[in-house]
Amino acid sequence: MKYLNYILILIGAVIAIYAKVGANQNQYILISGIIVLMIGVYRIAKTIPSKNDEQNNNDLH
């Protein structure tokens, strides 16, 4: 599952770059690439523990 996040980011970036490079820029392809990219970034970000959670756990003990 971890690699799926990286693949989503890579695919989203490639789609967004491809849509931006073309002479006739298709906005829908660009938007879909950005959405896939952001889904991958969100999935990675939610696995990173919050710094505040660590401080709260130390305060409770």
Side-chain angles (χ1 to χ4, degrees), residues 7 14 17-18 22 25 29 38 44 46 51 55 58-59:
I7 291 171
V14 168
I17 290 171
Y18 171 76
Q25 296 175 357
I29 295 175
M38 294 308 294
I44 287 178
K46 75 177 186 178
K51 184 177 179 181
Q55 289 175 353
N58 290 338
D59 291 342

Side-chain angles (χ1 to χ4, degrees), residues 8-44:
L8 285 174
I9 291 173
L10 183 64
I11 290 172
V14 168
I15 291 172
I17 290 171
Y18 171 76
K20 193 67 176 164
V21 169
N24 296 334
Q25 296 175 357
N26 190 342
Q27 297 298 320
Y28 296 113
I29 295 175
L30 179 63
I31 290 170
S32 64
I34 292 172
I35 289 172
V36 172
L37 177 70
M38 294 308 294
I39 289 171
V41 170
Y42 170 74
R43 288 173 54 113
I44 287 178

